[in-house]
């Protein structure tokens, strides 16, 4: 064979490979309908990094975390021979990964996703799950394979959220299928991947804080009947019922893991006040079963936080929902109603900088449909040491099969200790959804000051509180770090607060080790607050360095 004929054969093979039908016609239509934004806001970038990523160029170059990054879609060998549609899909996934995680490893993400797509025959749930199983089963698996596994897992979940696999006939719940896939063990990989949480901790914190803030504003504790009547009259005039309904729906999905179809089946009588006294009120929701079971149980009784109970009471009062009425009447599908509510409230719960970026088309919020919250409840309960019957009861399962998989998917004691010690340098700069207020010197602050007890020590001179209500709905001091209304003092005693959190974590970890407890209920919250103190201290150091220059 001559050199020319060999070259011609290679070109034909390349053309065949390039136009191999990886996609269905519906998937091609989806890809061609996606338009890249001109730039992407890098939310966790420091003042010395690039604040935006220019997406108009074929190759993406940016500076982040003190390093020059490049994703060479046009000139890189990893993307050679890829079709325009495949490159566009990888760009879409890379953008979504940056928005939800960090731009520091986005270049690796794009490369490993390109490798996965080059090793499968079509882009479907089945092929990607098979690829995950293949990576886990490799006898000589290394760190590179582990990276590819978790990046591929992220891409699979992301594409499933936007119904990319709709035309391939994949109709089962993806998270149920993923419970069958074992996770590779890797001591060098961060806890954000190992714990396999489908919703980031900071998004959960943002939702919890948002629900508590709405409850404290709309449903304050009032002593007299006259004050309550006057407040309700005021609320009627200023409250938009649609937003209150969206808040209630999002909170129910977040706390109970209810399916959209269950939300649509709820009646006014499914909201129950269990007990009421001078110390507070306990509420429950009777969640309908979504599927028929052999055991006839009409409702699952689930306790809900007091702040959610107050919001449901207010919603029923303002909307005039009776005991026999549908709790959330709508003409649209329950799935659309619930997912739209979650999308709207995630934006409203976000910091003002995020909201402004969304309005200016510099940022698009990640999508978290109701099904992800459901699985997040299952994973969280398993991490908290719940039994299979408890998980099955809350999620409304007729057997323990899925609950057993949640428990089997939880990490071992070593991972819990890893989490407790906070050894996770890769994602330390995740400050996307938990920025506090502006920094200020203590001598310039004239408002309320924060004081609290942490680690059996009284801490003050930490910062000011800019919350407009007199009563803070959170735990003062502990809840301030990570709160949008907290104004940290640049000369504050944050290191002392950090040391006290470490002491509390050490005590909890020692108790867990001595008792053989895999997970202590308050460990996650202590770790979260400790990380928030670190972020505040880092911001202050950057602020002081900038002032000196």
């Amino acid at each position: 064979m001559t050199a020319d004929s060999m070259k011609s054969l290679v070109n034909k093979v390349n053309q065949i490979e390039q136009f191999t039908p990886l996609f269905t016609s519906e998937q091609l239509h989806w890809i061609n309908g996606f338009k890249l934004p001109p730039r992407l806001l890098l939310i966790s970038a420091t003042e010395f990094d690039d604040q935006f990523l220019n997406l108009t160029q074929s190759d993406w170059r940016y500076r982040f975390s003190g390093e020059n990054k490049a994703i060479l879609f046009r000139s890189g060998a990893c993307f050679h021979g890829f079709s325009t549609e495949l490159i566009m899909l990888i760009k879409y996934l890379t953008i979504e990964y940056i928005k939800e995680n960090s731009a520091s490893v986005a270049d690796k993400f794009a490369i490993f996703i390109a490798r996965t797509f080059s090793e499968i025959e079509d882009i479907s749930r089945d092929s990607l799950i098979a690829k995950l199983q293949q990576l886990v089963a490799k006898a000589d698996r290394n760190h590179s394979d582990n990276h590819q596994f978790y990046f591929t897992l992220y891409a699979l979940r992301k594409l499933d959220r936007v119904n990319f696999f709709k035309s391939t006939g994949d109709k089962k719940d993806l998270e149920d299928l993923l419970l069958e896939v074992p996770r590779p063990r890797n001591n060098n990989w961060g806890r954000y991947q190992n714990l396999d949480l489908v919703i980031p901790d900071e998004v959960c914190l943002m939702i919890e804080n948002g629900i508590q803030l709405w409850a404290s504003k709309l449903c304050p504790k009032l002593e007299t009947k006259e004050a309550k009547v006057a407040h309700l009259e005021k609320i009627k005039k200023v409250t938009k019922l649609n937003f209150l309904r969206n808040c209630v729906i999002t909170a129910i999905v977040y706390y109970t893991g209810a399916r959209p179809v269950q939300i649509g089946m709820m009646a006014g009588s499914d909201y129950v006040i269990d007990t009421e006294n001078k110390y507070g009120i306990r509420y429950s929701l009777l969640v309908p079963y979504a599927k028929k079971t052999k055991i006839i149980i009409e409702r699952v009784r689930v306790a809900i936080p007091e702040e959610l109970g107050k919001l449901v009471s207010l919603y029923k009062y303002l909307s005039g929902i009776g005991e026999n009425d549908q709790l959330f009447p709508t003409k649209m599908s329950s799935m659309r109603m619930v997912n739209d509510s979650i999308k709207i409230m995630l934006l409203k719960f976000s910091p003002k900088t995020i909201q402004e970026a969304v309005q200016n088309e510099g940022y698009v919020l990640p999508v978290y449909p109701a099904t992800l919250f459901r699985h997040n409840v299952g994973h969280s309960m398993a991490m908290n040491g719940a039994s299979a019957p408890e998980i099955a009861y809350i999620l409304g399962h007729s057997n323990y099969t899925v609950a057993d998989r949640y428990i089997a998917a939880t990490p071992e004691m070593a991972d819990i200790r890893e989490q407790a010690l906070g050894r996770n340098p890769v994602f330390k700069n995740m400050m996307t959804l938990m920025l506090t207020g502006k920094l200020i010197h203590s001598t310039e602050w004239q408002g309320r000051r924060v004081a609290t007890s942490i680690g059996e020590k009284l801490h003050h001179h930490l910062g000011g509180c800019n919350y407009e209500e007199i009563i803070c709905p959170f735990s003062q001091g502990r809840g301030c770090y990570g709160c949008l209304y907290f104004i940290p003092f640049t000369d504050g005693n944050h290191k002392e607060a950090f040391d006290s959190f470490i002491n509390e974590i050490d005590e909890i970890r020692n108790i867990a080790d001595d008792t053989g407890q895999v997970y202590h209920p308050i460990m996650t919250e202590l770790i979260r607050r400790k990380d928030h103190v670190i972020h505040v201290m880092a911001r202050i150091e950057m602020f002081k360095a900038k002032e000196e220059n």
Side-chain angles (χ1 to χ4, degrees):
M1 182 178 293
T2 64
D4 291 339
S5 60
M6 176 64 74
K7 184 176 180 180
S8 176
L9 178 60
V10 170
N11 289 336
K12 289 182 180 180
V13 170
N14 287 337
Q15 291 178 0
I16 293 174
E17 291 179 350
Q18 183 174 356
F19 293 100
T20 297
L22 272 175
F23 306 107
T24 65
S25 57
E26 291 83 356
Q27 289 175 338
L28 288 174
H29 180 74
W30 187 94
I31 295 172
N32 292 327
F34 173 72
K35 293 183 179 181
L36 286 175
R39 60 179 186 172
L40 176 64
L41 176 66
L42 303 179
I43 299 177
S44 55
T46 68
E47 59 206 83
F48 306 111
D49 295 328
D50 289 338
Q51 303 300 308
F52 291 90
L53 172 58
N54 184 2
L55 305 180
T56 59
Q57 299 179 356
S58 299
D59 290 340
W60 295 355
R61 302 178 187 273
Y62 60 101
R63 183 168 180 80
F64 193 88
S65 294
E67 295 183 359
N68 294 321
K69 301 288 184 177
I71 308 179
L72 307 178
F73 291 111
R74 180 180 61 83
S75 58
C78 299
F79 309 99
H80 179 70
F82 280 15
S83 66
T84 303
E85 290 80 9
L86 186 54
I87 291 292
M88 180 61 74
L89 182 62
I90 298 175
K91 286 183 176 180
Y92 164 77
L93 291 171
T94 304
I95 291 173
E96 294 300 311
Y97 184 84
I98 292 174
K99 289 191 296 187
E100 292 189 43
N101 296 277
S102 172
S104 60
V105 292
D107 50 344
K108 293 182 180 179
F109 173 85
I111 291 173
F112 281 111
I113 292 302
R115 178 184 298 179
T116 292
F117 287 163
S118 67
E119 295 172 347
I120 58 179
E121 295 182 357
D122 63 343
I123 300 182
S124 63
R125 274 186 182 176
D126 291 340
S127 62
L128 290 173
I129 291 177
K131 184 59 185 178
L132 293 176
Q133 293 172 332
Q134 177 187 348
L135 290 169
V136 175
K138 287 183 64 175
D140 56 344
R141 189 180 71 247
N142 53 33
H143 297 317
S144 177
D145 295 315
N146 291 338
H147 280 67
Q148 185 178 358
F149 177 94
Y150 285 109
F151 286 143
T152 301
L153 178 61
Y154 174 86
L156 172 58
R157 280 175 166 153
K158 174 55 63 176
L159 292 175
D160 187 73
R161 294 184 205 176
V162 296
N163 294 321
F164 188 77
F165 305 118
K166 185 176 182 180
S167 60
T168 61
D170 297 319
K171 297 181 179 180
K172 292 184 178 179
D173 190 349
L174 175 63
E175 295 301 327
D176 286 342
L177 298 175
L178 290 177
L179 287 174
E180 302 281 357
V181 181
R183 305 308 193 250
R185 302 290 303 166
N186 184 357
N187 294 330
N188 295 325
W189 196 245
R191 66 183 176 94
Y192 286 94
Q193 282 78 10
N194 273 343
L195 293 183
D196 204 19
L197 293 173
V198 292
I199 299 178
D201 282 343
E202 300 313 324
V203 175
C204 294
L205 173 63
M206 184 183 71
I207 294 173
E208 292 171 8
N209 288 351
I211 294 170
Q212 290 185 352
L213 283 174
W214 275 54
S216 65
K217 288 184 177 181
L218 299 178
C219 311
K221 186 176 182 180
L222 302 173
E223 299 296 336
T224 65
K225 182 178 180 180
E226 292 76 12
K228 294 179 180 178
V229 172
H231 176 72
L232 285 176
E233 292 299 323
K234 177 183 176 181
I235 289 298
K236 284 182 181 179
K237 298 177 181 178
V238 300
T239 301
K240 294 183 178 180
L241 189 58
N242 286 340
F243 287 139
L244 178 58
R245 183 194 64 175
N246 292 334
C247 181
V248 171
I249 291 175
T250 301
I252 291 176
V253 173
Y254 175 76
Y255 284 117
T256 70
R259 295 185 177 98
V261 64
Q262 294 171 296
I263 299 291
M265 294 166 59
M266 287 183 180
S269 58
D270 291 331
Y271 165 70
V272 181
I273 297 178
D274 295 326
T275 58
E276 182 176 3
N277 53 44
K278 62 180 181 180
Y279 300 107
I281 308 175
R282 296 185 62 179
Y283 303 89
S284 292
L285 273 180
L286 303 180
V287 181
Y289 267 78
K291 300 177 181 179
K292 293 182 179 180
T293 60
K294 295 180 180 179
I295 303 176
I296 301 176
I297 303 177
E298 294 184 357
R299 297 289 194 268
V300 176
R301 194 184 191 96
V302 181
I304 58 176
E306 184 175 353
E307 56 268 19
L308 173 55
K310 291 180 178 179
L311 290 173
V312 177
S313 294
L314 180 62
Y315 165 74
K316 285 185 63 178
Y317 173 78
L318 295 180
S319 60
I321 299 294
E323 295 296 289
N324 297 322
D325 297 331
Q326 187 180 12
L327 188 58
F328 304 106
T330 181
K331 294 182 179 180
M332 67 176 67
S333 69
S334 297
M335 178 72 73
R336 181 181 175 185
M337 175 188 69
V338 172
N339 288 336
D340 285 350
S341 296
I342 294 172
K343 181 178 180 181
I344 291 171
M345 293 315 300
L346 285 180
L347 178 60
K348 284 196 166 293
F349 290 158
S350 297
K352 292 183 179 179
T353 53
I354 303 295
Q355 296 181 19
E356 292 173 357
V358 171
Q359 292 176 356
N360 296 330
E361 299 183 352
Y363 184 76
V364 178
L365 281 177
V367 177
Y368 296 104
T371 181
L372 294 187
F373 286 93
R374 178 173 178 78
H375 288 282
N376 198 66
V377 170
H379 280 294
S380 299
M381 290 187 67
M383 288 294 297
N384 278 277
S387 64
E390 291 169 330
I391 297 175
Y393 176 78
I394 294 297
L395 297 184
H397 294 155
S398 58
N399 55 58
Y400 303 152
T401 303
V402 176
D404 287 334
R405 293 172 185 166
Y406 280 122
I407 295 173
T410 56
E412 297 177 355
M413 179 69 80
D415 293 308
I416 302 302
R417 292 183 60 83
E418 171 97 3
Q419 176 184 355
L421 294 173
R423 295 170 182 167
N424 182 29
V426 178
F427 289 98
K428 282 295 183 185
N429 59 352
M430 277 193 64
M431 301 171 62
T432 305
L433 298 174
M434 60 179 187
L435 294 178
T436 58
K438 65 179 181 179
L439 302 176
I440 192 173
H441 194 275
S442 60
T443 57
E444 302 176 11
W445 180 251
Q446 302 296 325
R448 287 177 296 172
R449 296 184 175 230
V450 170
T452 186
S453 177
I454 306 174
E456 300 182 353
K457 292 183 179 180
L458 178 62
H459 294 272
H460 57 91
H461 197 70
L462 301 175
C465 178
N466 202 28
Y467 185 50
E468 57 266 30
E469 302 293 336
I470 298 176
I471 300 176
C472 175
F474 309 116
S475 174
Q476 186 178 156
R478 294 174 178 272
C480 292
Y481 290 97
C483 177
L484 298 176
Y485 297 94
F486 179 51
I487 311 297
F489 291 161
T490 55
D491 59 332
N493 299 327
H494 307 293
K495 179 63 168 59
E496 289 77 1
F498 173 80
D499 293 337
S500 292
F501 273 115
I502 293 297
N503 291 336
E504 286 193 353
I505 291 171
D506 287 340
E507 291 180 5
I508 296 299
R509 192 177 64 246
N510 291 336
I511 292 174
D513 287 347
D514 292 341
T515 58
Q517 191 174 5
V518 175
Y519 181 76
H520 196 283
I522 67 173
M523 179 63 78
T524 297
E525 186 62 26
L526 286 175
I527 297 300
R528 180 189 297 174
R529 298 303 175 186
K530 183 260 298 180
D531 289 343
H532 291 175
V533 180
I534 293 176
H535 290 147
V536 170
M537 294 168 60
R539 288 180 62 201
I540 292 175
E541 290 180 6
M542 293 169 55
F543 174 80
K544 290 181 177 179
K546 185 177 181 180
E547 289 291 311
E548 292 176 358
N549 295 332

